[in-house]
Amino acid sequence: YANNASPDEPFGAQNTKSISATLYATPSDNFSSRLFATYFKYDDGLSQAVTLPGASPVGGGGFGGYIPTGYTSTCNPGGPSGRLANGALTGNFYPCGAFGTIPSGLIASSAVLTKNELYVLSTPPNYPQLIGKGYCNHFGVCSDNIGTHLITDYDLDDGIKISNITAYHRKDVADLVPADNQNSQQYPNPLYGNPAFPLAPSFELFDYNIQTRTEDYSTELRATSPQDQPFRWTFGSNYVHAAETTELYFYTPTGSLPTFGANQRFGVVYADSEGVFGEVSYEPIEGLTFTAGLRWQEDTLTSLGSSTLSPVFNHSYYSRSPRGSVEYKVDPDLTVYGSWALGVRPGGFNTALISLPQPLINQIVAQTGSAAVAYKQEKLYTYEIGAKGAFFDNTIRANVSAYRGKLADQQTDSTALTTYDIEKYGGRFDIISNQGEVNIWGIEGDAHWKALPILDLSATAGWNHTQVVGSTCYACYLVTGNYHADDGKAMPGAPQYTFSVAADFRDHLLGTWDWFAHGDLAYKGKQFIDQENLSWIPAFIDVDFQAGVENESWSVGAFVKNATDYKGLIGAQISSDENSGSNNAIRGGLSDPREYGLRAKYKFGPFSEETEAAPAAYVPPPVQPAKPATTARSYMVFFDFNKSDLTSQAVSIVDQAAANAGPAKVTQLVVTGHTDTVGSDAYNMRLSRRRAESVAAELEKKGIPSSEIEIVAKGKKDLLVPTADGVREPQNRRVQIVYEGGATS
């Protein structure tokens, strides 16, 4: 997007570099581990955010008292902000109606660095900065990130699995943004030319440089019982520690050296979370499963003072999150279920409010109705019923569910623009408080149809209805004069209707190459952006395409995202406009413009311990015809050398086995993997298991429950064609599917 205020600083520039690695280790058949590490950094320009100016409330005014006419001020709902002292209505002060596509002239942000801003960004070891001198010397976001996690699994002899996940992350972010997200050059700075402020620029500038360092480490230990028993369980515990340190510099129209926000110079917050959890399932009769689970958690938040780094606020939040469900498999192709759960978002505190002077507190209360340091936990109660199944020989798979929920003690964000000692405390405060309840109910579903051998169609649809009840909304009072103006209204940002459709084509091209094409369309319905439902974003559609060719090693293609080039708001909220002192502006994010390009991937072969024997001419295994459902009890699929992924022929055989399992009333399938004799015994044992797992995964995709599939690895044992050691034999590289149980043929 072009920046109509500062052409040299366009919107949406992105530059990302990353590297990652994964190390797998399987020192024994019952022990495995995976170590993952990544580093990435991005150096982005200004985000494509805009602020559509609002009219200043009567008696307000921005820095210096300048009051412009707001672009979005289209109505007067009759609240105190739109009345004179005698109660008479003034002009329009609030945005009403639809705000979708934005005039290009309003896509603007005055990204202008003053001399003192440049000084702070580039010069001083003696000017303290959290992340470091010269780390990010332009408007936008710079960030360095590292992350690593270790996952280990150990299988006991009795089938119990012990698992551990341990992780560490660190993130440094410097974010330099114009706080107004608009063309502030149209707002003259009343301090310009004042001898007391010789560095004041000619127009208003409100810039923020927010530097944040976040670190966290976590560990979770869990034990899981065998999943093929009527009684199954999982128990575990976890611990997370996170620390966030923030420096906030803000630049004001005085043009002086940027200052630190009070209590935000070294704002340090610690979060410690520890919990235990468990879940048990019982299957009293075949196909009927009851599940119950409970999680207990303690979240402790601590804020350290900016100068002493001693605790100035500390609080622990305790929560119990139960869950229960019942599932019944009507037949192998159809399952119905119901569930109930309680989820809890921990409470928190408004760090910026700690130790503020009373005159400033009074200004915040006048605009938000609250200046409480702490806010309560938010709770979500949910109920759901649904069904999922496969129909018409697995050519159609579908899932539909209906849900009901209640959100209690909703955490709501409000903004206050203040004028008390801006140089020391800044002029904007975002306050979170608990406001009322929200009822939620809806229906959603998805379906997949194998329409043709080369064509897959899929679709999703959702109807989501939300309704606020019992709220005490101070922002509503300022706009309408009614503390309960949002009662019965929809939650902001929650569209009532959504749907998507997609088509995938894939077929053989020539030689080892296949061609593919994909297209999808996503619809997002009307979404309100304020609590009173007076303002909204209209519905919009996103369309994407991609096409290309691929074989086992290469994938090359082209893509187009946002093919219709929709350029409008995709999310927004009523927020502040620093220049006018208004809390009735619209702040939102624009969609990504049309994007197109080329993409290529190369897949290297898997690591192999196998010693290379003299290559033999490949003899394809005989085609295994699908047997009639009345006699089929065994199927065979074959694999390429040192491969565990399914060929297209293997997929068709596995799918036929899955389709015939239902009529045969199968209760157990044994999937046995084999290899040829090239390589070590240990490597081939693992390779044969991977092959069996590939077949089992395809069976599950076709509706066979994992509880009915037994996986066996044979390695080099039980050769179909006897050979000497080190011989490549295509017919020994196989997986056999055998039915157990069910009617006798």
Side-chain angles (χ1 to χ4, degrees):
Y1 285 94
N3 185 344
N4 285 279
S6 299
D8 293 337
E9 290 282 354
F11 294 107
Q14 297 180 358
N15 187 327
T16 304
K17 300 174 183 178
S18 66
I19 186 170
S20 62
T22 307
L23 177 66
Y24 299 89
T26 51
S28 66
D29 286 341
N30 59 349
F31 180 78
S32 64
S33 64
R34 183 177 71 192
L35 177 64
F36 173 81
T38 184
Y39 168 78
F40 64 93
K41 68 180 301 178
Y42 48 88
D43 188 0
D44 295 350
L46 287 170
S47 65
Q48 52 224 38
V50 296
T51 297
L52 308 182
S56 173
V58 174
F63 196 91
Y66 183 74
I67 304 176
T69 299
Y71 166 78
T72 63
S73 303
T74 57
C75 68
N76 188 331
S81 295
R83 294 178 181 272
L84 299 173
N86 62 6
L89 288 175
T90 66
N92 295 335
F93 73 98
Y94 193 75
C96 291
F99 296 89
T101 304
I102 305 303
S104 60
L106 290 172
I107 302 176
S109 188
S110 296
V112 178
L113 293 174
T114 66
K115 291 181 180 180
N116 277 325
E117 288 177 277
L118 288 170
Y119 169 77
V120 170
L121 290 172
S122 60
T123 306
N126 59 341
Y127 196 96
Q129 294 190 61
L130 173 65
I131 298 178
K133 166 185 169 183
Y135 176 70
C136 195
N137 58 3
H138 59 79
F139 281 100
V141 179
C142 303
S143 180
D144 282 272
N145 304 260
I146 60 172
T148 182
H149 64 250
L150 175 67
I151 301 175
T152 57
D153 292 301
Y154 185 75
D155 295 319
L156 303 179
D157 292 338
D158 57 3
I160 295 175
K161 176 182 285 188
I162 306 297
S163 303
N164 176 259
I165 304 175
T166 299
Y168 169 79
H169 305 91
R170 173 171 164 169
K171 180 177 184 178
D172 285 346
V173 180
D175 191 358
L176 178 59
V177 294
D180 43 28
N181 290 121
Q182 59 178 280
N183 184 4
S184 62
Q185 297 178 42
Q186 61 186 317
Y187 302 109
N189 183 0
L191 300 180
Y192 179 65
N194 187 330
F197 302 99
L199 297 176
S202 61
F203 57 89
E204 292 192 352
L205 285 176
F206 292 91
D207 294 342
Y208 285 105
N209 185 350
I210 305 170
Q211 297 191 359
T212 305
R213 171 167 292 166
T214 305
E215 287 186 283
D216 69 75
Y217 57 83
S218 61
T219 186
E220 175 181 300
L221 181 67
R222 66 169 62 195
T224 305
S225 71
Q227 297 300 292
D228 57 354
Q229 302 297 316
F231 182 77
R232 305 180 290 274
W233 50 262
T234 296
F235 293 102
S237 63
N238 74 294
Y239 173 74
V240 182
H241 172 79
E244 181 177 273
T245 304
T246 302
E247 283 187 2
L248 168 61
Y249 310 85
F250 55 85
Y251 309 78
T252 68
T254 62
S256 60
L257 274 173
T259 57
F260 289 111
N263 296 310
Q264 294 174 332
R265 177 173 183 176
F266 293 102
V268 181
V269 178
Y270 292 137
D272 291 276
S273 176
E274 50 190 307
V276 294
F277 56 89
E279 184 172 89
V280 295
S281 296
Y282 179 56
E283 188 175 359
I285 61 173
E286 183 180 353
L288 178 64
T289 303
F290 296 94
T291 301
L294 178 66
R295 179 183 190 87
W296 178 89
Q297 186 162 308
E298 177 184 359
D299 297 284
T300 301
L301 302 180
T302 303
S303 175
L304 304 185
S306 60
S307 56
T308 63
L309 294 183
S310 57
V312 294
F313 188 88
N314 178 271
H315 191 76
S316 293
Y317 298 88
Y318 301 92
S319 63
R320 294 178 179 85
S321 302
R323 175 182 179 273
S325 68
V326 59
E327 176 182 293
Y328 180 62
K329 185 176 288 296
V330 179
D331 59 47
D333 293 328
L334 179 62
T335 301
V336 295
Y337 62 90
S339 67
W340 171 85
L342 166 63
V344 179
R345 172 190 282 179
F349 48 92
N350 297 300
T351 310
L353 294 179
I354 297 174
S355 303
L356 292 183
Q358 193 59 45
L360 185 52
I361 292 288
N362 293 342
Q363 289 191 3
I364 294 172
V365 171
Q367 297 176 60
T368 67
S370 173
V373 172
Y375 52 89
K376 298 185 294 185
Q377 298 181 121
E378 182 180 82
K379 297 181 179 180
L380 177 63
Y381 303 83
T382 58
Y383 310 82
E384 181 178 3
I385 57 173
K388 53 187 176 182
F391 311 94
F392 304 106
D393 293 329
N394 284 306
T395 58
I396 294 179
R397 298 193 300 273
N399 177 29
V400 63
S401 65
Y403 56 88
R404 177 80 165 85
K406 183 177 76 171
L407 184 65
D409 292 321
Q410 179 189 8
Q411 294 173 4
T412 304
D413 190 5
S414 303
T415 300
L417 294 179
T418 62
T419 57
Y420 181 86
D421 201 347
I422 288 181
E423 285 293 300
K424 182 176 182 181
Y425 295 102
R428 173 175 172 166
F429 293 85
D430 293 304
I431 307 301
I432 297 177
S433 59
N434 300 97
Q435 294 184 11
E437 298 180 354
V438 182
N439 288 326
I440 305 167
W441 56 92
I443 300 173
E444 61 185 11
D446 60 81
H448 177 271
W449 178 28
K450 185 71 173 178
L452 296 170
I454 67 168
L455 172 61
D456 285 39
L457 300 175
S458 58
T460 68
W463 173 76
N464 180 57
H465 187 73
T466 61
Q467 185 180 55
V468 177
V469 294
S471 172
T472 301
C473 171
Y474 194 76
C476 300
Y477 166 74
L478 294 177
V479 172
T480 67
N482 182 359
Y483 285 101
H484 309 292
D486 60 343
D487 278 2
K489 304 296 175 59
M491 282 184 69
Q496 188 168 19
Y497 300 102
T498 56
F499 72 82
S500 67
V501 292
D504 284 278
F505 296 86
R506 184 177 299 273
D507 198 8
H508 181 68
L509 183 63
L510 53 88
T512 62
W513 291 90
D514 293 339
W515 66 271
F516 65 88
H518 170 87
D520 62 70
L521 179 152
Y523 170 89
K524 193 171 187 178
K526 171 182 176 181
Q527 45 183 321
F528 293 104
I529 60 179
D530 66 342
Q531 292 169 275
E532 305 88 356
N533 290 186
L534 297 174
S535 313
W536 63 87
I537 298 174
F540 61 89
I541 292 176
D542 181 65
V543 180
D544 302 329
F545 297 104
Q546 61 174 306
V549 296
E550 64 181 9
N551 60 19
E552 288 189 357
S553 300
W554 280 98
S555 176
V556 181
F559 65 89
V560 179
K561 298 181 180 179
N562 188 11
T564 61
D565 202 23
Y566 170 74
K567 293 181 177 179
L569 293 173
I570 57 174
Q573 61 182 353
I574 302 297
S575 188
S576 59
D577 172 8
E578 275 80 357
N579 291 290
S580 67
S582 170
N583 280 329
N584 298 325
I586 293 178
R587 286 184 176 236
L590 296 166
S591 64
D592 287 337
R594 182 189 292 125
E595 178 183 351
Y596 51 89
L598 302 175
R599 182 183 291 120
K601 291 183 180 181
Y602 179 75
K603 182 189 296 183
F604 294 88
F607 169 77
S608 172
E609 296 175 357
E610 299 182 10
T611 56
E612 285 294 329
Y618 176 70
V619 179
V623 175
Q624 301 293 313
K627 301 178 182 180
T630 55
T631 60
R633 298 189 60 82
S634 177
Y635 296 82
M636 197 91 72
V637 294
F638 296 90
F639 292 80
D640 293 334
F641 179 74
N642 196 32
K643 299 286 187 181
S644 60
D645 49 335
L646 299 176
T647 65
S648 57
Q649 183 185 54
V651 169
S652 65
I653 294 172
V654 176
D655 291 353
Q656 187 64 51
N660 289 342
K665 300 188 184 308
V666 170
T667 59
Q668 190 72 33
L669 287 85
V670 180
V671 179
T672 306
H674 301 266
T675 68
D676 58 23
T677 59
V678 178
S680 67
D681 291 345
Y683 179 82
N684 278 287
M685 185 63 72
R686 295 195 294 272
L687 178 59
S688 67
R689 175 169 288 277
R690 292 199 298 271
R691 287 172 173 169
E693 289 172 345
S694 295
V695 171
E698 180 66 21
L699 288 169
E700 290 184 46
K701 284 173 58 179
K702 298 304 178 183
I704 304 298
S706 59
S707 60
E708 296 180 4
I709 302 173
E710 179 183 354
I711 295 176
V712 178
K714 291 283 190 173
K716 297 194 289 186
K717 300 176 183 178
D718 298 343
L719 299 174
L720 185 64
V721 178
T723 68
D725 199 43
V727 176
R728 295 192 184 191
E729 172 49 57
Q731 295 194 63
N732 287 334
R733 303 194 292 265
R734 72 198 192 279
V735 166
Q736 188 172 17
I737 307 169
V738 178
Y739 290 171
E740 298 288 343
T744 303
S745 302

